[in-house]
Amino acid sequence: MSELSAEVIASSFSLPPEVDAILLEASRIRTLVKAEELFPQGSKPLGMFRVIKGTLRVDSLGASGHQLLLTQLVAGDWFGEVPLLDGLPRKYDVAAVSQARIAVLPASAFWQIIERRPDVLLAITRLVCGRYRMALDWAGNTISNPLPVRLASRLVSLIKRPGVEEAPCLKVNQEHIAQQLGVSRQSVNRQLKIWEAEGLLAVRYGAVTLLDLQKLREAAQGS
């Protein structure tokens, strides 16, 4: 993994460069083909992972038996640390959206590093806290806000992902966003069409171009 130890990518779930390098050095590389599962929901925590290239989707099986898309992971994202820390089975499954390369840090290597480097444990704890805050924000947003606010907030959050420019053309899967927001795809499409008529964005197959970012941010704030 030494050839990757210096590769640091800022992302929503990244770790500080020094910690990133330490964990990568102890990891091995695995390649996933499109739709290949990394691990299933309920599996034992055997390691921690980092996306090197590609995109992964995180799903959870709901009470109704339907898969719920929780989030997507991109290059630079570390994940899988919580089951290592609490020793409980994984609450979600992860699969490749497209061909992907990931770093796999075995549980044994994880604990060896933690024993030697308390600063690494602190960095991982902060990562967990960041996820917890995001989950609280998502829950509060879902419970208290109407669909236009939640959808605008979701689109704005996509702008913050690596490699996305201001006033961007976002690759958007309406079905995935609908699953995340707990509504139908038709409801998402209806709201996008309303904003398109108002000049905030342009809807294309598999993509949305944001034309008025300021108004979209105001919509995300409920204005």
Side-chain angles (χ1 to χ4, degrees), residues 61-157:
L61 187 65
S64 63
H66 295 293
Q67 288 290 107
L68 174 65
L69 175 65
L70 300 179
T71 190
Q72 290 193 333
L73 301 164
V74 298
D77 286 347
W78 280 98
F79 62 100
E81 72 286 345
V82 171
L84 281 178
L85 294 172
D86 64 18
L88 298 177
R90 300 191 184 279
K91 299 293 289 183
Y92 53 87
D93 55 59
V94 173
V97 174
S98 58
Q99 186 177 35
R101 294 176 68 229
I102 62 169
V104 180
L105 178 68
S108 58
F110 173 86
W111 288 112
Q112 288 173 7
I113 293 171
I114 293 302
E115 289 176 2
R116 300 195 313 267
R117 299 288 302 263
D119 58 317
V120 172
L121 178 58
L122 177 60
I124 292 174
T125 301
R126 286 173 173 163
L127 177 65
V128 174
C129 291
R131 294 192 205 276
Y132 178 66
R133 288 178 180 274
M134 289 180 66
L136 288 179
D137 288 343
W138 179 84
N141 190 34
T142 299
I143 293 171
S144 61
N145 290 323
L147 174 60
V149 174
R150 289 151 54 198
L151 179 56
S153 179
R154 179 59 184 150
L155 293 175
V156 170
S157 72

Side-chain angles (χ1 to χ4, degrees), residues 1 14 16 34 44 46 84 123 128 149 179 185 194 199 203 222:
M1 280 298 301
S14 62
K34 182 178 180 180
K44 295 181 179 179
L46 301 178
L84 281 178
V128 174
V149 174
Q179 289 177 8
R185 186 197 64 79
I194 291 173
V203 180

Side-chain angles (χ1 to χ4, degrees), residues 16 24 32 37 39 59-60 84 111 129-130 147 164 182 196 223:
L24 283 175
L32 301 176
E37 187 174 67
F39 57 76
D59 295 286
S60 180
L84 281 178
W111 288 112
C129 291
L147 174 60
V164 178
E196 185 173 43
S223 302

Side-chain angles (χ1 to χ4, degrees), residues 150-219:
R150 289 151 54 198
L151 179 56
S153 179
R154 179 59 184 150
L155 293 175
V156 170
S157 72
L158 292 175
I159 302 170
K160 302 175 183 178
R161 301 301 276 171
V164 178
E165 305 295 336
E166 287 289 304
C169 177
L170 302 174
K171 291 183 179 180
V172 171
N173 184 308
Q174 294 186 28
E175 183 67 34
H176 290 173
I177 288 182
Q179 289 177 8
Q180 291 176 323
L181 299 181
V183 298
S184 67
R185 186 197 64 79
Q186 290 79 6
S187 297
V188 169
N189 183 260
R190 188 180 306 116
Q191 184 58 51
L192 291 176
K193 290 297 185 182
I194 291 173
W195 284 334
E196 185 173 43
E198 296 174 350
L200 274 67
L201 48 78
V203 180
R204 300 291 182 269
Y205 180 77
V208 172
T209 300
L210 307 184
L211 304 176
D212 195 329
L213 200 51
Q214 180 59 36
K215 286 188 178 179
L216 191 64
R217 286 188 171 125
E218 291 174 359

